[in-house]
Amino acid sequence: GAELERIIKALKRRFTLDGNLMKTRPRGIDAEHPRLELLRYRQFTAMRAYDVEPWLASGKALTTVRADWRALRPLLDWLADHVGPADDPGSST
């Protein structure tokens, strides 16, 4: 939990974080849980929008996007280790 909080704090400086929150706390979770807000997420997204500027048509675009992907790596690793793959109820596979 503390590691995820540290990762999210670092990502907030670079990305917009959002997601699909439950309206109430998950069953069985204490109302005083220190990370209750994180536990309410059904989905969690991190995004970054780029303004349309000349550098988007240059090699700087690749460097910038690659750096952003690398910045997301700690979150992806944490999710893989602690959550696992998503079960998509809308998936037909």
Side-chain angles (χ1 to χ4, degrees), residues 4-47:
L4 180 59
E5 284 181 330
R6 180 188 56 77
I7 291 167
I8 288 174
K9 184 177 179 182
L11 291 177
K12 281 182 179 181
R13 290 184 228 127
R14 191 175 195 148
F15 299 95
T16 300
L17 305 178
D18 199 7
N20 181 0
L21 287 170
M22 294 179 193
K23 292 183 181 186
T24 60
R25 71 178 185 270
R27 277 188 212 124
I29 301 297
D30 183 42
E32 301 301 317
H33 192 286
R35 286 176 279 285
L36 179 59
E37 286 304 308
L38 288 175
L39 292 169
R40 289 181 54 223
Y41 278 97
R42 292 181 186 158
Q43 296 173 328
F44 186 78
T45 59
M47 111 167 194

Side-chain angles (χ1 to χ4, degrees), residues 44-86:
F44 186 78
T45 59
M47 111 167 194
R48 181 170 180 196
Y50 303 99
D51 292 331
V52 178
E53 295 188 20
W55 67 265
L56 281 174
S58 72
K60 184 178 178 184
L62 174 63
T63 304
T64 302
V65 172
R66 184 181 290 156
D68 285 342
W69 275 101
R70 287 183 177 142
L72 288 169
R73 191 79 222 173
L75 176 62
L76 298 175
D77 289 342
W78 190 94
L79 290 170
D81 291 345
H82 299 283
V83 178

